[in-house]
Amino acid sequence: MRKRIYQILSISQKPGDLSWWVDMFLIVLISLNVAAIVMESVEPIRLKYSAGFKAFETFSVILFTIEYVLRLWAANEDARYSKPILGNLRFALTPLAIIDLLAILPFYLPMIGIDLMFLRIMRLFRLFRLFKIARYIKALNIMNQVVKEKRAELLVAIILTFFMLLLTSTLMYYVEHEAQPDRFSSIPETMWWGIATLTTVGYGDIYPITALGKLLGGAIAILGIGLFALPTGILASGFSEHLGSDKASPTTCPHCGKAFVEK
Amino acid sequence: MRKRIYQILSISQKPGDLSWWVDMFLIVLISLNVAAIVMESVEPIRLKYSAGFKAFETFSVILFTIEYVLRLWAANEDARYSKPILGNLRFALTPLAIIDLLAILPFYLPMIGIDLMFLRIMRLFRLFRLFKIARYIKALNIMNQVVKEKRAELLVAIILTFFMLLLTSTLMYYVEHEAQPDRFSSIPETMWWGIATLTTVGYGDIYPITALGKLLGGAIAILGIGLFALPTGILASGFSEHLGSDKASPTTCPHCGKAFVEK
Amino acid sequence: MRKRIYQILSISQKPGDLSWWVDMFLIVLISLNVAAIVMESVEPIRLKYSAGFKAFETFSVILFTIEYVLRLWAANEDARYSKPILGNLRFALTPLAIIDLLAILPFYLPMIGIDLMFLRIMRLFRLFRLFKIARYIKALNIMNQVVKEKRAELLVAIILTFFMLLLTSTLMYYVEHEAQPDRFSSIPETMWWGIATLTTVGYGDIYPITALGKLLGGAIAILGIGLFALPTGILASGFSEHLGSDKASPTTCPHCGKAFVEK
Amino acid sequence: MRKRIYQILSISQKPGDLSWWVDMFLIVLISLNVAAIVMESVEPIRLKYSAGFKAFETFSVILFTIEYVLRLWAANEDARYSKPILGNLRFALTPLAIIDLLAILPFYLPMIGIDLMFLRIMRLFRLFRLFKIARYIKALNIMNQVVKEKRAELLVAIILTFFMLLLTSTLMYYVEHEAQPDRFSSIPETMWWGIATLTTVGYGDIYPITALGKLLGGAIAILGIGLFALPTGILASGFSEHLGSDKASPTTCPHCGKAFVEK
């Protein structure tokens, strides 16, 4: 019985069977929840269909709760969490399980009495429903792997990026502060300019106006952008290594001449 | 007779013959039509030469109609559409044939009586004349192939892009909504900010002003841009694989003279 | 005698000899001329040192004229332009020679009486002094070669870019024109938006405000940027192929096992 | 004794020993100093904790001074600086030593009497404390190496970039100056537009408004961005060559088991 539940809840391999339909149903339900969060943010829609949103919210949370409880209960079927109580607890601490819990928590907190201010923040937790989909999207696993593999490179790139940002922003602050005390009011404030510039977003809400500031800003832009493009480049190459499977064409060994496929 | 028409209308291999001249004529006519659409959008020009535009419009549509009818009729010469009636219908449903039809349709609709509101939209269909040129531009076929080949990669990248956009916009909405209820008025509205930021376009019509918003926005910009650059990278590599054909060409070893392909 | 002049004017291989000093002198003179053009554009400086600028202008033009005449006269020494008169004419039509001429022309035109309006434009020709330096900068030759090699790729990329720009701008015009008749006043005007968006420059002087316009604009930004990044990518790869000389590491042939350097 | 000091100050290999703890302490102290510089720039914080900042400043400078003196004194232990006095002087002229000195100098200058105006600038020297960290961050060494290796490429790219910037800005100045004499007031001023455009930052504080200016600006944007992306590309490829070390690692053939390096 529990084994059956476990199989049904785990991602199905062959389309058409019950487990597959359950997956589909959950994917649709999660998507609808995300859509609801987005739609609800549009005032006219929220006001008009508030009842509908509330009903759908209750409906989804109940189903998600059942899903969560079943997953928790059936976890013992998994070799890693086979121990009766300890296993379930260990499963409850896995990222996906925590996401499932956080996705429903905001609904139950009011009952156990929480002040409203805190609740407003808790509503953000409904966003975790977006992450529930992660279990089903392969693309996210790929990204996950890429980040893992490129950990070292990304760390170096981010350190350099931050170092560059700190240095340029501090310099710019000293150069522009007097001319624009309201915009370049402090180094953290100037960092906002630094990010907007080095990422080439350039909103235009803040930019140097003094000759020296423009000279420095120009130099920073030309030299610094290369640094900020590093994480992008690293990610991109990581993905292409994963996705560009055609790259795995057979290589022939110069020693024995036999062909084999690069991993 | 029909065979002759078919040959003339199909793209000519050797320059100078009748078929080649027909191609040239059609390319020029299509280009002039596109130029007309562009020019007509400039008010002073439209007002001054309205008669000329109307005349040229009628002239082109007649020729395009003849072209369309002939192509339809001669389609049977093509092995794929050889069946008398069925073949012509099957040909009429090919993308290029549909484009040819849509390019002339807006001209005939008023005759069979269509309300004006709908017509205004129909005028957009004249844009399909731009696509008529596709039959002759090799570059577009290349792009077509690249997109086909990289389908899988592009899909993953687009899913991630959309996921990222949805997540960041929702977060930003909750952070910035209270400070700027008019700009960050809803999640869909915030997505406009998200796209402008993650693509680094940064028009500057909407940006965070709160400290938390700027912190979040900065982090999103630094981390998210890498993701949005993926489709670009995938397309670029796809093109370079197609265009940099010399890379795939076999190298011959100067010592043994034998050819082998670099992997 | 003429041979000596030719040798002196042609780029010197061994530093320190007369020819080398002449090169150095010309490089410095050209740089000073460019600096003068830039400085002269700053009003206070122009007003204060107008006499100096005029003097330096005359001085440089005289030297550049002598240089030009000598190059023209000594051209016969070059095997390609050995024929007495015809050779000198053929040399005078080489890009570098034309640049040399255009760089000094604006100075002499007033003498042969040209109306001022035309002269104002002619002053732009002084910019060709910037190109005179091309003879000495290796980097520009490299760029020249890269563009030559990647001609085909760049052409395809530019066609696609222009096609994309035309299509998106026309669509956007039909969508936004009514909401912002002053900004999206015509398709050519909308192209300015298209370029600012697809290159991700995003000045923020023009952007869609309607929901449909933002939706379309967002989609265009996400999909189109990849296309506009193509020329960049092609150029970049072209340069890296030229500059990344380390790539020319010995390859070993799988057939004979002998090592040789890729061209 | 001096040997011991030298070992303690030099970067420790095995975590946990005294030298390692000294490194950690210095890293923390430097980071706190940087944090202090950043925090102090926020007016409310500066006013509230001015005493604390002053105290911490004095405390750090004393420690940094001790560190500097000890490093200078212990330098003789290093084979390169073994000569008694000459060695210490030679060490004092190494970049890292100069940084250490400049980082503490601003504190002592007032004592030997320096006018305040000059001092304000000297305060910038406290930034060198940020560079003190360089001794400990491997990422910066990597960047250092990359820039060294790619020196030639970067030089070419920067020459081209500057050439492009100079040319486009001069052209744009002549085109746009009359329409916007205040914004495109001079060529140097126009270069600010050039940088903002060619780096795609596009603050939106300055952009062409004339038809010709927009045409030129658009062409510059499409063609020039590729050039400005070169340094970025060079840096990125340099880093990936350094970081993607697994690429250079020998592959072992599964058939013959022999190792060989992929080219």
Side-chain angles (χ1 to χ4, degrees):
Chain A
M1 167 60 182
R2 191 177 65 180
K3 188 168 190 52
R4 186 88 190 84
I5 297 283
Y6 177 74
Q7 287 164 344
I8 289 167
L9 285 174
S10 55
I11 291 156
S12 159
Q13 299 319 331
K14 58 179 190 306
D17 66 356
L18 179 57
S19 169
W20 184 82
W21 281 109
V22 171
D23 296 343
M24 284 306 115
F25 175 76
L26 283 170
I27 290 169
V28 171
L29 186 63
I30 295 164
S31 310
L32 286 174
N33 268 271
V34 173
I37 293 171
V38 173
M39 285 302 108
E40 210 176 341
S41 74
V42 185
E43 190 129 32
I45 298 177
R46 177 171 62 252
L47 299 175
K48 198 163 171 198
Y49 304 105
S50 55
F53 281 120
K54 190 159 241 54
F56 180 65
E57 171 76 6
T58 321
F59 169 72
S60 330
V61 168
I62 290 165
L63 286 178
F64 285 144
T65 312
I66 295 166
E67 179 207 359
Y68 178 69
V69 171
L70 286 179
R71 278 191 196 282
L72 201 58
W73 173 62
N76 302 120
E77 295 300 326
D78 186 328
R80 291 166 297 174
Y81 314 112
S82 50
K83 288 212 196 57
I85 303 306
L86 204 77
N88 303 64
L89 282 173
R90 295 236 337 286
F91 172 80
L93 296 173
T94 56
L96 285 174
I98 291 168
I99 287 170
D100 287 343
L101 179 59
L102 292 175
I104 50 174
L105 215 54
F107 184 83
Y108 296 108
L109 285 175
M111 305 177 182
I112 60 171
I114 306 273
D115 66 275
L116 283 163
M117 179 55 224
F118 179 66
L119 265 182
R120 189 118 34 38
I121 295 149
M122 285 307 287
R123 282 190 65 70
L124 250 174
F125 280 33
R126 289 169 66 213
L127 273 185
F128 283 102
R129 291 182 198 169
L130 182 51
F131 289 111
K132 277 174 73 73
I133 206 90
R135 184 180 277 114
Y136 304 101
I137 299 181
K138 193 161 145 300
L140 292 175
N141 306 349
I142 293 174
M143 186 173 127
N144 205 353
Q145 289 173 40
V146 168
V147 172
K148 265 216 199 70
E149 282 173 18
K150 299 282 177 186
R151 217 187 304 90
E153 283 91 325
L154 284 171
L155 190 70
V156 172
I158 284 163
I159 289 171
L160 287 173
T161 306
F162 185 74
F163 192 87
M164 181 80 186
L165 179 62
L166 192 62
L167 180 66
T168 53
S169 302
T170 314
L171 274 171
M172 202 49 148
Y173 166 75
Y174 283 116
V175 172
E176 277 292 308
H177 177 57
E178 270 170 43
Q180 303 187 76
D182 52 341
R183 294 196 179 288
F184 293 85
S185 59
S186 68
I187 292 173
E189 199 62 36
T190 310
M191 282 184 181
W192 174 243
W193 165 84
I195 290 173
T197 301
L198 292 169
T199 56
T200 79
V201 170
Y203 290 118
D205 57 336
I206 172 171
Y207 47 80
I209 56 170
T210 65
L212 184 55
K214 286 178 173 181
L215 193 68
L216 181 64
I220 288 169
I222 293 174
L223 299 177
I225 285 164
L227 224 52
F228 268 61
L230 280 185
T232 304
I234 292 165
L235 269 185
S237 69
F239 272 92
S240 62
E241 282 165 26
H242 258 77
L243 300 170
S245 53
D246 40 46
K247 298 254 175 327
S249 61
T251 316
T252 49
C253 166
H255 302 296
C256 66
K258 291 214 197 74
F260 62 94
V261 175
E262 260 348 271
K263 56 108 209 45
Chain B
M1 167 59 182
R2 191 177 66 181
K3 189 169 189 50
R4 186 85 190 86
I5 298 283
Y6 177 74
Q7 288 164 343
I8 290 168
L9 284 174
S10 55
I11 290 157
S12 160
Q13 299 318 332
K14 57 178 189 308
D17 66 354
L18 179 57
S19 169
W20 184 83
W21 282 109
V22 172
D23 296 342
M24 285 305 116
F25 175 76
L26 283 170
I27 290 169
V28 171
L29 186 63
I30 294 164
S31 311
L32 287 174
N33 268 270
V34 173
I37 293 171
V38 172
M39 285 301 107
E40 209 176 343
S41 73
V42 186
E43 190 128 34
I45 297 177
R46 177 170 63 252
L47 299 175
K48 198 165 172 199
Y49 303 106
S50 54
F53 281 120
K54 192 160 239 55
F56 180 66
E57 170 77 5
T58 321
F59 170 73
S60 331
V61 168
I62 290 165
L63 287 179
F64 286 143
T65 312
I66 295 167
E67 179 207 357
Y68 179 68
V69 172
L70 287 178
R71 279 190 196 282
L72 202 57
W73 173 61
N76 302 119
E77 295 300 327
D78 186 328
R80 293 164 297 173
Y81 314 111
S82 50
K83 287 209 196 59
I85 304 305
L86 203 77
N88 304 64
L89 282 173
R90 295 237 336 286
F91 171 79
L93 295 174
T94 56
L96 284 173
I98 291 169
I99 287 170
D100 287 342
L101 180 60
L102 292 175
I104 50 175
L105 215 55
F107 184 82
Y108 296 108
L109 285 175
M111 307 177 178
I112 61 171
I114 307 273
D115 66 275
L116 283 162
M117 178 56 222
F118 179 67
L119 265 181
R120 193 121 26 40
I121 295 149
M122 285 306 287
R123 283 189 65 70
L124 250 175
F125 280 33
R126 290 168 65 212
L127 274 185
F128 283 102
R129 293 183 197 168
L130 182 51
F131 289 110
K132 278 174 73 72
I133 206 89
R135 186 181 275 113
Y136 304 101
I137 299 181
K138 195 162 144 299
L140 291 176
N141 307 349
I142 293 174
M143 185 173 129
N144 205 353
Q145 290 174 41
V146 168
V147 172
K148 266 218 199 69
E149 282 173 18
K150 299 283 177 184
R151 217 188 304 91
E153 283 91 325
L154 284 171
L155 190 69
V156 173
I158 284 163
I159 289 171
L160 287 173
T161 306
F162 184 73
F163 193 87
M164 181 80 186
L165 179 62
L166 191 61
L167 181 65
T168 53
S169 302
T170 313
L171 274 171
M172 202 48 149
Y173 166 74
Y174 283 116
V175 171
E176 206 65 17
H177 177 58
E178 270 170 44
Q180 303 187 73
D182 52 341
R183 295 195 178 289
F184 293 84
S185 59
S186 68
I187 291 174
E189 198 63 36
T190 309
M191 282 184 182
W192 174 244
W193 165 84
I195 290 173
T197 301
L198 292 170
T199 56
T200 78
V201 170
Y203 290 118
D205 57 335
I206 172 172
Y207 47 81
I209 56 170
T210 65
L212 185 55
K214 286 179 172 182
L215 192 69
L216 181 65
I220 289 169
I222 293 175
L223 300 176
I225 285 164
L227 223 52
F228 268 62
L230 280 185
T232 304
I234 292 166
L235 269 185
S237 69
F239 271 92
S240 61
E241 283 166 25
H242 257 76
L243 299 169
S245 52
D246 38 47
K247 297 230 180 349
S249 64
T251 315
T252 49
C253 167
H255 303 295
C256 66
K258 291 215 197 74
F260 62 95
V261 176
E262 284 312 300
K263 59 126 225 358
Chain C
M1 167 58 181
R2 190 177 65 182
K3 189 169 189 50
R4 186 86 191 85
I5 297 282
Y6 177 74
Q7 287 164 342
I8 290 167
L9 284 174
S10 55
I11 290 155
S12 160
Q13 298 319 331
K14 58 179 191 305
D17 67 355
L18 180 57
S19 170
W20 183 82
W21 282 109
V22 171
D23 295 344
M24 284 306 115
F25 175 77
L26 284 170
I27 290 168
V28 171
L29 186 63
I30 295 164
S31 312
L32 287 174
N33 267 270
V34 173
I37 293 171
V38 172
M39 286 301 107
E40 212 176 341
S41 73
V42 185
E43 189 128 34
I45 298 177
R46 177 171 62 252
L47 298 176
K48 196 164 173 201
Y49 303 105
S50 55
F53 281 120
K54 191 161 241 52
F56 179 66
E57 170 77 5
T58 320
F59 170 73
S60 329
V61 168
I62 291 165
L63 287 178
F64 286 143
T65 312
I66 295 168
E67 179 207 357
Y68 179 69
V69 172
L70 287 178
R71 280 190 195 282
L72 201 58
W73 173 61
N76 302 119
E77 295 301 325
D78 186 327
R80 292 166 297 173
Y81 313 112
S82 51
K83 288 212 196 56
I85 305 305
L86 203 77
N88 305 64
L89 282 174
R90 297 236 336 286
F91 171 79
L93 296 173
T94 56
L96 285 173
I98 291 168
I99 286 169
D100 287 342
L101 180 60
L102 292 176
I104 51 175
L105 217 54
F107 184 83
Y108 296 108
L109 286 175
M111 306 178 180
I112 59 170
I114 307 275
D115 66 275
L116 284 162
M117 178 56 223
F118 179 66
L119 265 180
R120 191 125 21 43
I121 295 148
M122 285 306 287
R123 283 190 64 71
L124 249 174
F125 280 33
R126 291 168 64 211
L127 273 186
F128 283 101
R129 292 182 199 171
L130 182 52
F131 288 110
K132 277 173 74 72
I133 205 89
R135 186 180 275 114
Y136 304 101
I137 299 180
K138 195 163 144 300
L140 291 175
N141 307 349
I142 293 175
M143 187 173 127
N144 205 353
Q145 289 174 42
V146 169
V147 171
K148 266 217 199 70
E149 282 172 18
K150 299 283 177 184
R151 217 187 305 88
E153 282 92 326
L154 285 171
L155 190 70
V156 173
I158 284 162
I159 289 171
L160 288 173
T161 306
F162 185 73
F163 193 87
M164 181 80 185
L165 179 62
L166 193 60
L167 180 66
T168 53
S169 303
T170 313
L171 275 171
M172 203 48 149
Y173 166 75
Y174 283 116
V175 171
E176 277 292 308
H177 177 59
E178 270 170 45
Q180 306 188 72
D182 52 340
R183 294 195 179 290
F184 293 85
S185 59
S186 68
I187 291 173
E189 198 64 36
T190 310
M191 282 184 182
W192 174 244
W193 165 84
I195 290 173
T197 301
L198 292 170
T199 56
T200 78
V201 170
Y203 289 118
D205 56 336
I206 172 172
Y207 47 81
I209 56 170
T210 65
L212 185 56
K214 287 178 171 181
L215 193 68
L216 182 64
I220 289 170
I222 293 173
L223 300 176
I225 285 165
L227 223 52
F228 268 62
L230 280 185
T232 304
I234 292 166
L235 269 185
S237 70
F239 271 92
S240 62
E241 283 165 26
H242 258 75
L243 300 170
S245 52
D246 41 45
K247 297 253 175 328
S249 61
T251 316
T252 49
C253 166
H255 302 297
C256 68
K258 290 216 196 72
F260 62 93
V261 175
E262 271 330 284
K263 59 104 210 53
Chain D
M1 166 60 182
R2 190 177 66 181
K3 190 169 190 50
R4 187 85 191 85
I5 298 282
Y6 177 73
Q7 287 163 342
I8 289 168
L9 285 174
S10 56
I11 291 156
S12 159
Q13 299 318 333
K14 58 178 190 306
D17 67 354
L18 179 57
S19 169
W20 184 82
W21 282 110
V22 171
D23 295 344
M24 284 305 115
F25 174 76
L26 284 170
I27 290 168
V28 171
L29 186 63
I30 295 163
S31 311
L32 287 174
N33 268 270
V34 173
I37 293 170
V38 172
M39 285 302 108
E40 210 176 343
S41 73
V42 186
E43 190 129 31
I45 297 177
R46 177 171 62 252
L47 299 176
K48 198 163 172 198
Y49 303 105
S50 55
F53 281 120
K54 190 159 241 54
F56 179 66
E57 170 77 5
T58 320
F59 170 73
S60 330
V61 168
I62 290 165
L63 287 179
F64 286 144
T65 312
I66 295 167
E67 178 207 359
Y68 178 68
V69 173
L70 287 179
R71 279 189 195 282
L72 201 57
W73 172 63
N76 302 120
E77 294 301 325
D78 186 327
R80 291 165 297 172
Y81 313 112
S82 51
K83 286 210 197 57
I85 304 305
L86 203 78
N88 304 64
L89 282 173
R90 296 236 336 286
F91 171 78
L93 296 172
T94 56
L96 285 173
I98 291 168
I99 287 170
D100 287 343
L101 180 59
L102 291 176
I104 51 175
L105 216 54
F107 183 83
Y108 296 108
L109 287 175
M111 306 177 180
I112 60 168
I114 307 273
D115 67 275
L116 284 162
M117 179 56 225
F118 179 67
L119 265 181
R120 190 123 27 39
I121 295 149
M122 284 307 286
R123 283 189 64 71
L124 250 174
F125 280 33
R126 291 169 64 213
L127 273 185
F128 283 102
R129 292 182 197 168
L130 181 52
F131 288 110
K132 277 174 73 72
I133 205 88
R135 185 179 277 116
Y136 305 101
I137 299 180
K138 196 163 143 296
L140 291 175
N141 306 349
I142 293 175
M143 186 173 127
N144 205 354
Q145 290 174 42
V146 169
V147 171
K148 265 217 198 71
E149 281 172 20
K150 299 283 177 186
R151 217 187 304 89
E153 283 92 325
L154 285 171
L155 190 70
V156 172
I158 283 162
I159 289 170
L160 287 172
T161 305
F162 185 74
F163 192 86
M164 181 80 187
L165 179 62
L166 192 61
L167 181 65
T168 53
S169 302
T170 314
L171 274 171
M172 201 49 146
Y173 166 75
Y174 282 116
V175 171
E176 205 65 15
H177 176 59
E178 270 170 43
Q180 305 188 74
D182 52 340
R183 294 196 179 289
F184 293 84
S185 59
S186 68
I187 292 173
E189 199 64 36
T190 310
M191 282 184 181
W192 175 243
W193 165 84
I195 289 173
T197 302
L198 292 169
T199 57
T200 78
V201 170
Y203 291 118
D205 57 336
I206 171 172
Y207 47 80
I209 56 170
T210 66
L212 184 55
K214 287 178 171 181
L215 193 68
L216 181 64
I220 288 169
I222 293 174
L223 300 177
I225 285 164
L227 224 52
F228 267 62
L230 280 185
T232 304
I234 292 165
L235 269 185
S237 69
F239 271 92
S240 61
E241 284 166 26
H242 257 76
L243 299 170
S245 53
D246 39 46
K247 297 230 180 349
S249 64
T251 315
T252 48
C253 167
H255 304 295
C256 66
K258 288 215 197 75
F260 61 93
V261 175
E262 284 310 301
K263 58 125 227 355

